[in-house]
Amino acid sequence: MERLITGIKNLDYILGGGIPAYSLNIVSGSPGSGKTIFVQHIIFNNARNGLKSLYLTTISESQLKMVRHLQDFEFFSDDLLGDRVIYGDLGEVLRKQGASRGLDYLTQMIKEHLPNIVVIDSVKVIRDLFPDEKTFRAFVFELAAVLSIWEITAFLVGEYEEQELTRLSEFAIADGIFHLYGQEEKRFQKRYMRILKMRGTSFQYGEHLFQIGPVGIEVYPRMRPEGEELRYDVKLGRKEFGICGLDEMLCGGLLEGTITLISGATGTGKTMFALKFLLEGAEKGEKGIFLSFEEPAVQLQNTARCLGWEIDRYLAEGQLEIKFISPIELDVDKHAFEILDMIREKKVERFVIDSISSFESSVTDIQKYRDYLWAIGQHLRKRHVTTIFTVLNEDLFSPLIVSRAQLSLITDNIIILRYVEDNSSIRKVLGILKARGSDHDKSLREYEIAPEGINILGRLDKADMLK
């Protein structure tokens, strides 16, 4: 099937390679949802590939005004105007001379310029020119017939609310429907896109985040759990922490390609355990990424230096990378996709998110949070990336609460770190709750974070400490 490549980041991936050529597509959404920028981005990208577009407005908007609004976007280019991107005014003809003359004008413009793409912005304005639904429906079918005669991919842009998409006649003729909308989610005003229909090709259903920035439109596909059974090669190799007693408790380290949850209260050392795991991998030539939502890279480097770890060397050699994302700016829809992109491009073998509690705080509902982590976990397992998620347990002396989101179900291994009170002093203990596919030490072991690193000490011999 011949396709129109949109050139918009990740959109062609969602569409299975692009929009079917010569199709008639409606781009709907409320005012300000990004419809016009979406279509303009597509026509300028295609103009660079030699395709010609005819963009007809229906509100008598001047070309000068249209261009002024686009000039700051990277996709825009003055050089393409008039030759590859041609603007025209259909609205004046429709208002003064009627619908039939409007179709004649459209046909005349197509004959004159022979465009590959035609845009009518906005078709909703045309609807308002007709006295009733019956006459507008007749116009719409005639419009579809005119466009189908020529080898043209068409976009009809309109200010439609979602409830209108199933009952208005113009949607009956559409081969494809893109619906753009925004909504408030916690501290973010987000924009989403849904592809409601696309004849002749498969595409990814559901809502996809998109952003409007200096480059134009960027789409972040929905992170979704795979519906089919997860299939991947099981690796029997192990990844060590480089912490002697802990690797012994794990019978040699974490099984390769598994996901481990390190749960503990603040100050128990979750971050240090996870960082040491990456440093041990770097020592063996394995690339690792530490994604921090809590401590800036400089602070992590200082802490590691204090423990005598050679973090600067591995950062300089590119074996280790620390990415800090402020939890204030964390947008899980965008960052979850970027994380997987980064892991694939850099061929990462060890990966840490510190902490996924920050993920949770940026997602509106707990089910969506679980779905994200489940989807990320599936992708990481398929790529055999050995992963650690840290999670904050807010109760300093709590019993065995791993997390309120029941994340234990999506992880292969669980390590708990917690405080215990003993003779008016506070001690730290470590235990392995779960190690899927492997034997492990069931005892509780005291540990300390000392100037020379992390030391696993003897067994905790007091009974009922974890009740």
Side-chain angles (χ1 to χ4, degrees):
M1 174 187 290
E2 193 174 345
R3 292 176 185 268
L4 179 78
I5 306 300
T6 69
I8 291 178
K9 180 178 179 180
N10 298 322
L11 181 57
D12 295 308
Y13 164 73
I14 292 171
L15 290 164
I19 298 170
Y22 318 130
S23 58
L24 192 156
N25 304 279
I26 294 181
V27 181
S28 66
S30 57
S33 57
K35 303 180 297 298
T36 298
I37 296 172
F38 175 77
V39 178
Q40 296 275 7
H41 197 159
I42 292 174
I43 65 174
F44 273 93
N45 282 346
N46 279 279
R48 288 190 172 78
N49 294 325
L51 299 188
K52 185 184 287 188
S53 295
L54 176 61
Y55 196 105
L56 299 174
T57 64
T58 58
I59 54 173
S60 297
E61 190 170 16
S62 71
Q63 180 178 334
L64 184 63
K65 185 178 177 183
M66 179 79 73
V67 168
R68 190 185 304 131
H69 291 160
L70 298 172
Q71 279 178 330
D72 289 340
F73 290 110
E74 292 177 13
F75 65 75
F76 177 80
S77 173
D78 271 326
D79 298 339
L80 299 170
L81 295 176
D83 181 22
R84 295 292 173 192
V85 178
I86 301 149
Y87 291 103
D89 181 9
L90 183 61
E92 185 175 356
V93 178
L94 286 167
R95 281 191 297 278
K96 294 182 177 177
Q97 302 178 47
S100 61
R101 184 66 190 99
L103 289 175
D104 291 341
Y105 176 77
L106 173 62
T107 305
Q108 177 190 327
M109 292 288 281
I110 292 173
K111 284 181 178 176
E112 181 182 345
H113 297 288
L114 297 176
N116 306 96
I117 302 170
V118 167
V119 180
I120 298 178
D121 184 6
S122 134
V123 71
K124 187 70 177 296
V125 171
I126 300 177
R127 161 177 277 280
D128 295 338
L129 297 175
F130 286 82
D132 54 56
E133 182 69 23
K134 183 178 178 181
T135 52
F136 177 70
R137 188 184 300 120
F139 169 82
V140 163
F141 283 104
E142 199 169 346
L143 172 66
V146 168
L147 293 172
S148 66
I149 292 171
W150 305 89
E151 290 192 339
I152 286 171
T153 305
F155 293 91
L156 307 182
V157 180
E159 297 76 27
Y160 296 98
E161 298 299 330
E162 190 164 0
Q163 60 269 24
E164 296 178 300
L165 308 185
T166 55
R167 60 181 175 81
L168 297 182
S169 51
E170 51 268 47
F171 291 93
I173 63 167
D175 299 304
I177 300 174
F178 296 88
H179 185 58
L180 314 184
Y181 56 98
Q183 62 187 46
E184 194 77 30
E185 285 189 18
K186 293 199 172 180
R187 52 186 173 269
F188 295 105
Q189 175 62 42
K190 293 188 171 184
R191 296 175 190 270
Y192 287 102
M193 169 193 306
R194 283 198 291 145
I195 302 169
L196 303 179
K197 180 181 181 183
M198 192 59 63
R199 283 187 183 131
T201 184
S202 60
F203 59 90
Q204 289 190 20
Y205 291 91
E207 62 180 16
H208 307 287
L209 178 79
F210 76 94
Q211 293 185 336
I212 299 175
V215 299
I217 302 277
E218 292 181 304
V219 182
Y220 297 93
R222 179 171 71 97
M223 189 63 63
R224 54 179 184 163
E226 297 288 345
E228 61 192 38
E229 182 184 354
L230 179 61
R231 295 177 185 275
Y232 61 98
D233 298 329
V234 176
K235 303 282 186 179
L236 297 178
R238 290 185 182 267
K239 303 287 189 186
E240 297 176 328
F241 275 83
I243 302 170
C244 184
L246 179 57
D247 289 325
E248 288 173 6
M249 293 175 74
L250 289 163
C251 297
L254 301 173
L255 279 174
E256 190 177 333
T258 56
I259 295 176
T260 301
L261 194 70
I262 299 182
S263 172
T266 181
T268 49
K270 301 180 296 297
T271 300
M272 290 300 97
F273 276 86
L275 186 58
K276 183 68 177 74
F277 176 73
L278 294 192
L279 288 166
E280 179 67 13
E283 174 71 29
K284 296 177 177 174
E286 299 168 1
K287 284 192 176 180
I289 289 182
F290 192 102
L291 190 64
S292 173
F293 298 124
E294 299 188 350
E295 294 185 51
V298 172
Q299 190 171 325
L300 286 169
Q301 286 174 249
N302 286 337
T303 306
R305 288 186 200 117
C306 290
L307 294 172
W309 295 343
E310 294 184 277
I311 190 167
D312 295 319
R313 173 188 150 200
Y314 297 125
L315 288 171
E317 291 175 352
Q319 289 302 115
L320 174 64
E321 197 166 334
I322 299 175
K323 296 277 186 187
F324 172 70
I325 299 172
S326 165
I328 304 299
E329 299 299 322
L330 174 60
D331 182 340
V332 72
D333 292 278
K334 173 183 174 184
H335 287 110
F337 187 84
E338 290 183 337
I339 287 166
L340 296 176
D341 246 9
M342 187 166 57
I343 286 171
R344 183 179 61 250
E345 289 171 6
K346 296 181 181 295
K347 298 180 179 176
V348 168
E349 293 182 63
R350 299 189 184 209
F351 177 59
V352 168
I353 294 181
D354 182 38
S355 74
I356 55 171
S357 306
S358 299
F359 257 53
E360 182 176 349
S361 64
S362 69
V363 178
T364 49
D365 66 77
I366 203 72
Q367 185 57 51
K368 187 174 182 181
Y369 170 58
R370 288 197 199 104
D371 286 350
Y372 269 110
L373 290 178
W374 177 255
I376 290 174
Q378 283 184 313
H379 286 287
L380 292 169
R381 284 191 182 97
K382 282 183 176 178
R383 293 171 189 168
H384 304 296
V385 179
T386 310
T387 302
I388 290 178
F389 296 155
T390 70
V391 62
L392 176 66
N393 187 341
E394 294 179 351
D395 190 337
L396 296 181
F397 296 92
S398 74
L400 293 179
I401 299 172
V402 176
S403 79
R404 71 182 181 89
Q406 298 180 338
L407 297 178
S408 54
L409 298 176
I410 67 170
T411 57
D412 302 294
N413 317 302
I414 298 175
I415 298 172
I416 57 162
L417 309 177
R418 63 156 297 180
Y419 297 111
V420 294
E421 184 181 357
D422 184 36
N423 292 327
S424 299
S425 65
I426 296 173
R427 297 160 66 183
K428 294 177 181 175
V429 295
L430 173 155
I432 300 169
L433 282 189
K434 172 182 174 183
R436 187 176 286 158
S438 170
D439 193 14
H440 62 90
D441 191 329
K442 313 306 190 291
S443 66
L444 293 172
R445 303 278 290 272
E446 195 174 354
Y447 69 94
E448 63 176 8
I449 300 177
E452 70 276 12
I454 301 172
N455 299 316
I456 306 298
L457 307 174
R459 294 188 176 200
L460 191 71
D461 53 4
K462 291 181 179 293
D464 301 334
M465 274 291 201
L466 298 179
K467 286 186 178 179

